[in-house]
Amino acid sequence: MKNTIRLALFASGSGSNVENITNYFSDKENIEIDVVFANRRNAFVFERAKKLGIPAFYCPKNEFQTAFMLHQVLKERKIDFIILAGFLLKVPEILIKNFPNKIINIHPALLPKYGGKGMYGMNVHHAVVANQEKETGISIHLVNENYDEGKLLFQAKTALSPEDDASVVAKKVHELEYEHFPKVIESYICKNQ
C-alpha cells in the first residue's frame, strides 16, 4: 500500500495559494507537495516554489492543451492528485481522463454564479460589485470538461457592504481561500485515495 499521497499544484500567477497549501501540508507525513506547474513564464509562483524548495516547471499554453508531455511527467512523478491553485487554463481531456475525480479547483465566487470562461480573479470580483451582491465567497469543486461545472465539494460565504470595491471583495475572498482550501483538499484526498 502506498503511504504518501503526492500532489501537483498548478498556478498561473503569484502563487499565494500554492504557498498556503504547501505550508499547511509541511508537517503532514502522508501528503507531499511534489511539484508546481505554471503556464506563465514570469509568474511569481516560481519564486515562491524556489523559496519553498519545490520543483517548478513552466508549461506553455500550447503544450498544456495537448498535455501529452505533462501527463508523462505526472505519471513519472507518481502524482495522485492535481490541485488548481489559481490556474487559469481549461484542463485538457487527457488529464481529466487520467485523473478522474482527482483534480480539485477553487473558484472565487459562489458557483454557479460568476462561473465559466473568462470568469476568474478580478473579473469575478468586478462582476460581483457591479451586480451589487450582498455576499460572495469561494467554491471548491472537482474539475470536469466544462469550466466550473464539476461536482461541488465545499462553499464558504462572506458578507459584502455596498461600499466594498473589487479589491476589498478580493481580500475577503482570499481570506476564505487561505482558511478553507487546504483543509478541504486534505479531507477530500484522505477519503478518496
Side-chain angles (χ1 to χ4, degrees), residues 2 9 24 28 37 41 55 58-59 62 69 72 75 81 84 101 138 148 161-162 170-171 179 191:
K2 186 174 176 180
L9 306 183
Y24 180 85
K28 310 279 183 188
F37 289 95
R41 187 182 299 279
Y58 169 58
C59 186
N62 61 331
M69 294 289 288
Q72 293 304 314
K75 196 172 166 183
F81 290 86
L84 307 184
N101 299 315
I138 58 167
D148 304 320
S161 302
K171 184 176 184 296
E179 179 184 354
K191 288 178 191 166

Side-chain angles (χ1 to χ4, degrees), residues 31-72:
I31 299 171
E32 176 186 333
I33 308 303
D34 181 74
V35 64
V36 171
F37 289 95
N39 63 301
R40 292 181 174 166
R41 187 182 299 279
N42 298 321
F44 191 72
V45 70
F46 288 110
E47 294 300 317
R48 290 188 198 264
K50 185 177 178 183
K51 183 180 90 172
L52 294 164
I54 303 167
F57 299 97
Y58 169 58
C59 186
K61 184 176 181 179
N62 61 331
E63 285 181 31
F64 182 76
Q65 286 170 335
T66 59
F68 178 76
M69 294 289 288
L70 177 59
H71 179 252
Q72 293 304 314

Side-chain angles (χ1 to χ4, degrees), residues 26-164:
S26 64
D27 63 349
K28 310 279 183 188
E29 291 181 16
N30 62 331
I31 299 171
E32 176 186 333
I33 308 303
D34 181 74
V35 64
V36 171
F37 289 95
N39 63 301
R40 292 181 174 166
R41 187 182 299 279
N42 298 321
F44 191 72
V45 70
F46 288 110
E47 294 300 317
R48 290 188 198 264
K50 185 177 178 183
K51 183 180 90 172
L52 294 164
I54 303 167
F57 299 97
Y58 169 58
C59 186
K61 184 176 181 179
N62 61 331
E63 285 181 31
F64 182 76
Q65 286 170 335
T66 59
F68 178 76
M69 294 289 288
L70 177 59
H71 179 252
Q72 293 304 314
V73 173
L74 294 170
K75 196 172 166 183
E76 286 167 16
R77 298 185 79 92
K78 298 178 171 55
I79 297 300
D80 298 296
F81 290 86
I82 296 170
I83 309 301
L84 307 184
F87 190 69
L88 304 181
L89 297 181
K90 189 172 183 184
V91 176
E93 209 171 293
I94 186 173
L95 292 185
I96 293 169
K97 182 180 159 204
N98 286 287
F99 289 87
N101 299 315
K102 294 195 172 190
I103 305 175
I104 302 171
N105 185 42
I106 190 164
H107 186 75
L110 297 170
L111 292 173
K113 285 184 167 185
Y114 307 106
K117 187 171 179 158
M119 292 307 287
Y120 58 86
M122 292 305 289
N123 294 351
V124 172
H125 306 317
H126 285 296
V128 165
V129 170
N131 288 326
Q132 300 175 357
E133 296 284 358
K134 293 185 174 22
E135 65 181 12
T136 191
I138 58 167
S139 300
I140 300 170
H141 64 93
L142 297 178
V143 173
N144 66 12
E145 61 280 354
N146 300 314
Y147 281 112
D148 304 320
E149 291 183 15
K151 179 183 175 186
L152 197 62
L153 302 178
F154 177 85
Q155 286 185 311
K157 298 176 182 179
T158 185
L160 299 177
S161 302
E163 57 273 5
D164 289 349

